[in-house]
Amino acid sequence: MLEQATAALVASGVPTPRVDAELLLAWATDTSRGAVQARAMTGGAIAPEHVERFRHAVARRVTREPLQHITGQAYFRALTLAVGPGVFVPRPETEGVVQFGIDALRATAVPSPVAVDLGSGSGAIAIAMDTEVPNAVVYAVERSPEALPWTRRNVDAHGGTVRLVEGDLADALPELDGTVSVVVSNPPYVPDDMVPVDPEVRDHDPALALYGGADGLDAVRALTETARRLLVPGGLLVIEHAEQQGAGVRAVLARRGFRSPETHVDLTGRDRTTTATR
């Protein structure tokens, strides 16, 4: 079954066909990828209902529907998040982005530091900060009516204390001005004329979470203004962006008076995160 599924996914251009086949079979059989790999070596029967479930899932993945939409799950750090149509699927590179925020929250001397996730989507960044820094007070801001149910579902599922706010990152939370220790955002940063090649992104991720204007930095400019009024002096702003945008993001931050803007690479060596101090 794995070999046939892998061959079908190869033919449809899926970038990681064997991995996807194993993950789909794990989901179809309610086990883990490790268990699937072990069964592939030792053999054994699979229940007919699991066979049908797997074949249906593979047929969907062949059309380049995102793996996470099929399984309904995305993994982020220690979290398992619910995702589907209408919400941006969190990426592995964002796990490194949120680490800057987590480190800053842990380093502050404030007993209950306040953190804000602007444009929260699935809630990945906010929930990670909330669960990994229990003494923090975390706000998640999201405006999309399609994404908000997913944010709320994930916040509720993880039993945390994230305070979910429906609103725009450009004018969010005026009542918190000058009180926030950390602002983190993974904003839309794809330039409008750079339509992604991958069907999983182009056809399934919401446009509101992808496109950021002519140069991709419209949302960065807006959230920088918001962060400037929210942050305490010395507070940290953390922004995810495309690898070609580091210089542009640093310039935006410098113009708004942020200190020490610095761009950091992800695990693949690509520019991914820019931080700056209020």
Side-chain angles (χ1 to χ4, degrees):
M1 290 180 66
L2 280 174
E3 293 301 329
Q4 292 173 357
T6 300
L9 296 176
V10 167
S12 67
V14 170
T16 53
R18 180 69 179 196
V19 171
D20 285 27
E22 291 172 349
L23 289 171
L24 288 173
L25 188 53
W27 170 78
T29 56
D30 298 313
T31 56
S32 67
R33 184 184 172 199
V36 165
Q37 291 171 329
R39 289 284 299 281
M41 290 187 290
T42 61
I46 299 177
E49 62 269 24
H50 290 162
V51 173
E52 183 60 29
R53 191 182 190 201
F54 177 60
R55 287 178 173 164
H56 180 63
V58 172
R60 292 172 64 184
R61 187 70 184 103
V62 163
T63 70
R64 304 299 292 272
E65 183 178 353
L67 173 75
Q68 296 87 351
H69 284 197
I70 299 168
T71 64
Q73 296 178 332
Y75 301 106
F76 186 84
R77 295 177 71 91
L79 305 170
T80 301
L81 301 170
V83 295
V87 71
F88 186 80
V89 175
R91 310 298 204 253
E93 52 266 30
T94 307
E95 295 183 7
V97 176
V98 72
Q99 187 67 53
F100 289 97
I102 289 170
D103 290 344
L105 288 170
R106 288 173 174 167
T108 183
V110 179
S112 298
V114 179
V116 174
D117 172 16
L118 292 174
S120 192
S122 67
I125 289 173
I127 298 169
M129 291 192 292
D130 182 65
T131 56
E132 296 186 45
V133 191
N135 62 308
V137 178
V138 182
Y139 290 79
V141 178
E142 178 56 56
R143 72 170 181 172
S144 166
E146 291 76 28
L148 270 167
W150 296 104
T151 325
R152 187 172 293 109
R153 177 176 172 180
N154 286 318
V155 168
D156 291 346
H158 290 279
T161 57
V162 173
R163 304 177 185 191
L164 178 57
V165 177
E166 182 176 0
D168 194 294
L169 58 78
D171 56 12
L173 303 170
E175 68 275 16
L176 295 183
D177 285 359
T179 67
V180 176
S181 295
V182 175
V183 173
V184 185
S185 183
N186 177 15
Y189 53 71
V190 178
D192 290 345
D193 62 354
M194 292 184 64
V195 178
V197 174
D198 292 342
E200 291 88 345
V201 179
R202 182 188 66 232
D203 301 334
H204 295 278
D205 275 328
L208 190 64
L210 287 178
Y211 298 106
D215 63 354
L217 298 181
D218 283 358
V220 171
R221 295 184 186 93
L223 73 88
T224 298
E225 296 289 340
T226 301
R228 181 165 176 78
R229 63 173 171 77
L230 288 176
L231 287 167
V232 299
L236 184 71
L237 172 59
V238 184
I239 304 173
E240 179 173 335
H241 52 78
E243 60 181 301
Q244 307 90 348
Q245 294 174 326
V249 174
R250 293 194 303 273
V252 170
L253 293 170
R255 282 195 296 270
R256 290 304 300 131
F258 278 84
R259 296 183 287 114
S260 306
E262 183 178 1
T263 298
H264 314 268
V265 298
D266 60 21
L267 293 177
T268 68
R270 297 179 173 89
D271 286 352
R272 182 62 57 194
T273 311
T274 293
T275 59
T277 304
R278 167 73 167 88

